[in-house]
Amino acid sequence: MGLAGAKNKRKLGNDPNNTKWSRNTDTFGQKILRAQGWQPGEYLGAKDAAHAEWHTEANTTHIRVTLKDDTLGLGAKRNNGDECTGLDAFQHLLGRLNGKSDEALEAEQKVRNDVKLSLYMQKKFGMMRFVKGGWLVGDQVKQTPDEEAEEVPDSAEASEAPEPAAVESKKRKADRRSDKEDGKLGKKEKKSKKRKAGSEADVGGEGGQKEKDKKSKRRKTESEDCEEPAVTPKTAESLDETSGASDAGNTKNDKKDKKDKKERRDKKEKKEKRRIEKAAAESGAETGDSISQEKKRKKKDATLESSSAPTPADRNSSTPTGSGYSTPVPTGSSRYLARSRFIAQKKMAFADSAALNQIFMIKS
Amino acid sequence: MSDSTKNLKRSSAEREGVQVHKRVKTDGDAKMDTKPNPYLAHYNDNEVVASPLDEFERHKTTALQAAKAESEDNNPWTGKPHSQQYFGILKTRRDLPVHKQRQEFLDMYHKTQILVFVGETGSGKTTQIPQYVLYDELPHETGKLIACTQPRRVAAMSVAQRVANELDVDLGEEVGYSIRFENRTGPKTLLKYMTDGQLLREAMHDHDMSRYGCIILDEAHERTLATDILMALLKQIAERRKDLKIIVMSATLDAQKFQTYFFNAPLLAVPGRTYPVEIFYTSEPERDYVEAAVRTVLQIHASEPEGDILLFLTGEEEIEDACRRIGLEVDEMIRESDAGPMAVYPLYGTLPPHQQQRIFDKAPAAVRKGGRPGRKCIVSTNIAETSLTIDGIVYVVDPGFSKQKIYNPRTRVESLLVSPISKASAQQRAGRAGRTRPGKCFRLYTENAFKKELIEQTYPEILRSNLANTVLELKKLGVQDLVHFDLMDPPAPETMMRALEELNYLACLDDDGELTTLGGLASEFPLDPALAVMLISSPEFYCSNEILSITSLLSVPQIWVRPNNARKRADEMKQMFAHPDGDHLTLLNAYHAYKAAEQAGDDVKKWCHEHFLSFRHLSSADNVRAQLKRIMETHDIELVSTPFQDKDYYTNIRRALLAGFFMQVAMRESSTSKVYKTVKDDQLVMIHPGTVVSTPYDWVVYNEFVLTTKQYVRTVTNIRAEWLLEIAPTYYDVDTFEKGEIKSALTRITEKIRRRQAMKGGR
């Protein structure tokens, strides 16, 4: 149990499993069962039953479950403080010690560097967002490469946001040119995204909760993006834009989606703005927070900062084919304003010898 | 004199009747006398309307014949003309997936005694198959009914109603249902829907189930305790009664196990009408599944096209909490960014029925014309997994947990615990999304977790329950050899031993394992053996009326309401009813107050609301009480009370409690501690904080042992150790105790009693 972990003390009796009873062979029940021809170690039920092949351990002894009194998700492990965190800088060394090949290490290092860079970009400027504008075929813009129909609304859309559309279509073209690479690229991007999640936290430094909650955090603010990745490979910069395009046929839905998205984005911006204000207010004085929900969110943000990534091995074992739910999506710079304070705190923590001890796995 | 003539007359009329009957049968077109016999009106009816069923030959019918009979202008079962909506319903019935395989079904049904039928939800098996059987079995000729069991009472009732509509007959006439406290069948009933428990109860008095020509076990994949026992029982009966047909219907595809179990019975599978469901996993485990679930719902609302959401959570509290959070966030979303409206409905077993019905409401419309469409979100326990069909669900959010009953025979604790679901159940949940159109299922765990952490199948109830009641039932059903009783999933030997042991201490089984008179009587009550024994022996303590009330109150959910926003006031109200000696007596006080309010003609609902009592549970306790009272009266168990003014009024009740619950007693560890130790099992427990008992007593009897973060005993009442030695001397035989505080305490008390008696004797 880590120092920060919840203390769950429970007094146990001398014989919490009551083995005294189970070892006792003179009980009435055992007497009756034996009288009817049962031997210890046997299943009950018909002799040589045809369906006996389906019998499991549950047919021999009661079902054992662990008492679950938290809201930890399925498969998540509580951090008991024995996981090493903040080892990003030593991944190279550790990887070699673990017998990874140099190429693999190189690749990993490269991914980490990429993540660092894009993270820097995010923090510095935030993300540019683009609206899907269709495919440029010849000199006409089309919704999808194969489908000619439904052009009109598309151009309307384009006229609404002409500039991004142009950029978009350019990008589309590029995409199409490198059609083959696309899949690979998408995968890689996705991976790097995931990395990002990790290293973003690494920047934060120590502590050590799952990056999960950060993601769920994200998920909320950035709700719309997350579904799509499962459908299409995504590129880091323009998630939503790429996504819908690849489901050919669903043009109508796409349209609706697009519209939704735009509106949502507006909303998001509004939210973000509000948050900046909030952050400002909070950093000024931690007083009047009206909406408790909001406050809670912020507090969670704080905890996020202290979170860190699991080891790469863990990460690889998770499924890249998932919904992309947990894949963090870059947010605007605003949240980083709110976070900068915590980042500063993190830096201070680095000066703290106890924290460093943990980081360098020095057991005192 | 006049009596005898009357008798004579009647018998002659009967004889006449037989003759007339014969005549009708042999030469139907023979001229009848002009005045038809009024007693034989039904024969005449048959005569007037030639039923198409007359040509049917049992077990040789074809789908074509049946379809023709169904399309006639007159109802083949009643002879009356069909109502208007009948043909509309008939058309939709013929669109059901099972309909295409009616002939195939009949062919297989004719050839075999036991048939395993697999049909996914939505195939129409529950409503159609019994009707197909009806047209083939022709129970009006053989007099043998068709029974179709359902695991849940609500399902039995609603399906029976539906089928009655489909056959265009009145519910309770040709089609009826029978559930524990309600029987809607009549002499004309041919097809009977019932709960599996009810069929089991009937089997206790009719070991061969001779009333039935065909028994259909529906939803067998749910593997309820009663279904499991019925299967084993029917397997035996099938050998004895070759004329009995059995159909086992399951919704999941693990039918192979059923086939093997039933002597390699043939299998008929009907595809359901389902659409593909896209499954999403998270890429990392979630830290907080409730939080993640709430967010996922909001995200779906924000980004996915129209379609309702179904979220699975584990319990009432969690569900209400999630509903509140989702509601708040959605409100904000609407304010901030013009999101569509969303109706959020909780769904769990203890929810009042009218609130449960709300889940079938239409999703709210867009707030204004052209606005985003609304949707509904149902936050449910796993009752929405198989039992309820909610159309319009397109998105399913599955955190991968459910509350499951677990029984540990060693510590004798039966508790509801949150545990991971099984793969089969995860697939069921996902399948809920594809009922109306292609859907999506969001699993809040990784694919890896799905593969590695989830078990294949949910454990059947028989492996998760205390079997005391089951063993008693089995004994009553005439099963002698419990060891080799051919269950599909035999329970753990320890569980069986514990059940036998408990029944032996309760004197329901004698030392050779045979049912005693008391045991036989106890099995008549639809109660746990301990409760039943307590009830049966209560007249000895002159308080059977009171014990009857307490028993009913203990067999319904908690009557105390403690809303989060008014906990303090609720506790104050509870204190009004509190009896210093314990919760059982407090329950009784509350019930008496409720009855007094009812008699005073108050608005009982309002009264309950003001006093933080659950009207629904109190009235259902009242209902249970009436049922139990009827059973007591049929078995001549006296209903007596000690006068209230008597100082022993409450003492008698406390003593009577021990007659059933002497095995659920705990002793305080030391005079300063709050920790108690259960007798014989030596488990450390605390008294649940919800109790009214404030003085820490040395000995308490408890109703249940609950497992949360700590081990608690709930609903406790103070008792005196002397009573234990007096009321349950076999269980409290000091020599059988292990060395320890309890043994020494009991020895002290024995000494004391002996000395007192010696003094009395000396005097």
Side-chain angles (χ1 to χ4, degrees), chain B residues 336-356:
Chain B
E336 297 283 326
S337 59
D338 192 31
M342 177 151 84
V344 187
Y345 300 120
L347 176 63
Y348 43 83
T350 50
L351 202 67
H354 68 274
Q355 280 191 44
Q356 284 192 13

Side-chain angles (χ1 to χ4, degrees), chain A residues 104-356:
Chain A
L105 287 174
E106 279 295 304
E108 276 179 22
Q109 184 61 43
K110 203 163 162 279
V111 170
R112 273 199 296 275
N113 289 342
D114 288 351
V115 168
K116 244 185 204 160
L117 180 62
S118 65
L119 205 68
Y120 169 79
M121 279 297 292
Q122 270 182 55
K123 277 161 75 179
K124 187 87 180 177
F125 307 109
M127 276 302 160
M128 292 291 290
R129 308 200 146 263
F130 301 100
V131 175
K132 182 169 60 183
W135 301 72
L136 187 66
V137 179
D139 50 359
Q140 279 185 317
V141 176
K142 281 174 186 165
Q143 186 76 14
T144 55
D146 356 57
E147 242 183 275
E148 319 289 336
E150 306 265 0
E151 230 174 290
V152 187
D154 203 61
S155 55
E157 180 85 11
S159 69
E160 267 173 43
E163 215 183 329
V167 176
E168 184 62 26
S169 55
K170 243 184 267 165
K171 215 181 73 212
R172 281 293 138 78
K173 216 156 81 184
D175 272 3
R176 256 197 311 161
R177 228 186 11 240
S178 58
D179 224 13
K180 267 181 218 157
E181 282 168 37
D182 201 27
K184 234 197 287 175
L185 196 124
K187 231 183 228 168
K188 204 174 145 199
E189 290 288 0
K190 213 189 270 173
K191 217 176 177 182
S192 76
K193 266 276 181 77
K194 225 186 254 163
R195 285 304 310 207
K196 215 179 291 164
S199 49
E200 193 173 87
D202 283 351
V203 171
E206 29 91 52
Q209 277 306 341
K210 302 271 155 338
E211 52 181 2
K212 193 63 257 162
D213 59 342
K214 170 170 53 195
K215 272 168 220 154
S216 48
K217 188 91 296 110
R218 259 319 133 74
R219 201 187 297 154
K220 169 138 205 196
T221 51
E222 288 276 305
S223 38
E224 78 258 42
D225 300 332
C226 304
E227 243 88 334
E228 270 97 356
V231 186
T232 54
K234 57 189 169 183
T235 58
E237 303 88 70
S238 56
L239 269 178
D240 16 337
E241 287 83 337
T242 15
S243 55
S246 66
D247 346 317
N250 279 350
T251 22
K252 258 189 200 154
N253 271 350
D254 278 359
K255 237 194 302 163
K256 216 204 270 163
D257 271 4
K258 237 188 292 170
K259 216 167 129 206
D260 282 1
K261 259 172 223 156
K262 232 174 113 197
E263 276 163 324
R264 243 171 278 126
R265 198 172 308 121
D266 291 347
K267 155 198 114 188
K268 204 188 306 153
E269 271 159 22
K270 246 191 247 163
K271 250 192 184 165
E272 229 109 85
K273 224 189 267 167
R274 237 184 16 170
R275 193 168 297 174
I276 298 174
E277 281 162 21
K278 274 261 168 68
E282 208 184 48
S283 57
E286 291 239 343
T287 49
D289 245 19
S290 53
I291 308 168
S292 61
Q293 194 77 7
E294 198 65 30
K295 196 168 177 185
K296 218 163 64 192
R297 205 176 291 156
K298 234 171 265 162
K299 260 187 204 142
K300 270 206 188 133
D301 274 358
T303 56
L304 297 185
E305 278 297 88
S306 66
S307 73
S308 93
T311 58
D314 278 354
R315 217 169 298 140
N316 291 340
S317 67
S318 76
T319 52
T321 49
S323 66
Y325 256 118
S326 318
T327 317
V329 171
T331 39
S333 58
S334 59
R335 67 182 306 143
Y336 290 98
L337 281 177
R339 283 179 168 192
S340 57
R341 200 161 51 98
F342 299 116
I343 293 172
Q345 282 175 349
K346 285 297 121 53
K347 281 185 178 148
M348 271 169 68
F350 267 103
D352 187 82
S353 63
L356 279 177

Side-chain angles (χ1 to χ4, degrees), chain A residues 293, chain B residues 298 323-333 335:
Chain A
Q293 194 77 7
Chain B
L298 292 170
C323 281
R324 204 169 31 78
R325 275 158 75 184
I326 294 171
L328 282 174
E329 292 290 338
V330 167
D331 284 349
E332 194 181 317
M333 245 157 118
R335 271 201 312 277

Side-chain angles (χ1 to χ4, degrees), chain A residues 8 10-22 27-33 36-38 42-47 49-51 53-56 58-77 194 209-213 215-217 219-220 223-224 226-227 230-231 253 256-257 260 263-264 267 270-271 274 293-294 297 300 303 310 315 317-319 321-327, chain B residues 235 256-257 260-261 278 280-292 295-296 298-300 302-305 329 332-333 336-338 372 399-401 406-411 417-420 440 442 444-449 453-454 459 463-464 475 480-498 500-501 504 509-513 669 677 680-684 707-711 738:
Chain A
N8 251 339
R10 239 179 97 188
K11 193 176 175 189
L12 290 179
N14 290 334
D15 189 6
N17 266 326
N18 202 6
T19 47
K20 180 185 82 193
W21 176 80
S22 62
T27 57
F28 173 77
Q30 199 150 108
K31 202 181 79 197
I32 295 288
L33 290 192
Q36 294 182 345
W38 172 81
E42 276 179 13
Y43 289 121
L44 296 182
K47 265 189 197 131
H51 58 279
E53 55 177 302
W54 278 283
H55 288 353
T56 60
N59 299 99
T60 58
T61 173
H62 64 271
I63 297 162
R64 283 136 212 264
V65 287
T66 41
L67 190 64
K68 179 174 168 57
D69 58 349
D70 50 28
T71 52
L72 207 63
L74 187 64
K77 305 265 183 313
K194 225 186 254 163
Q209 277 306 341
K210 302 271 155 338
E211 52 181 2
K212 193 63 257 162
D213 59 342
K215 272 168 220 154
S216 48
K217 188 91 296 110
R219 201 187 297 154
K220 169 138 205 196
S223 38
E224 78 258 42
C226 304
E227 243 88 334
V231 186
N253 271 350
K256 216 204 270 163
D257 271 4
D260 282 1
E263 276 163 324
R264 243 171 278 126
K267 155 198 114 188
K270 246 191 247 163
K271 250 192 184 165
R274 237 184 16 170
Q293 194 77 7
E294 198 65 30
R297 205 176 291 156
K300 270 206 188 133
T303 56
R315 217 169 298 140
S317 67
S318 76
T319 52
T321 49
S323 66
Y325 256 118
S326 318
T327 317
Chain B
K235 206 176 155 178
Q256 219 195 337
K257 190 170 176 180
T260 320
Y261 179 66
E278 199 173 356
F280 298 100
Y281 294 99
T282 57
S283 62
E284 298 283 345
E286 296 290 336
R287 202 174 69 125
D288 180 340
Y289 69 87
V290 182
E291 179 77 21
R295 279 160 199 278
T296 310
L298 292 170
Q299 182 186 317
I300 291 168
S303 58
E304 291 281 338
E329 292 290 338
E332 194 181 317
M333 245 157 118
E336 297 283 326
S337 59
D338 192 31
R372 284 209 196 86
F401 289 108
I406 302 285
Y407 178 67
N408 181 343
R410 295 188 180 173
T411 53
L417 294 178
V418 175
S419 32
K440 290 180 178 172
F442 301 98
L444 303 179
Y445 40 88
T446 62
E447 192 170 7
N448 226 9
E453 309 223 351
L454 300 188
Y459 293 120
L463 302 182
R464 299 189 276 117
K475 283 283 172 192
Q480 289 308 318
D481 188 353
L482 288 171
V483 169
H484 299 110
F485 186 56
D486 190 8
L487 286 160
M488 192 177 215
D489 264 302
E494 281 187 3
T495 312
M496 183 66 86
M497 284 177 212
R498 200 47 125 167
L500 287 164
E501 193 184 307
N504 180 237
L509 295 182
D510 64 17
D511 286 347
D512 301 323
E669 259 206 322
K677 202 176 212 176
K680 288 215 176 175
D681 298 330
D682 292 337
Q683 298 298 303
L684 298 185
L707 208 58
T708 55
T709 41
K710 293 198 174 80
Q711 307 196 66
E738 290 262 306

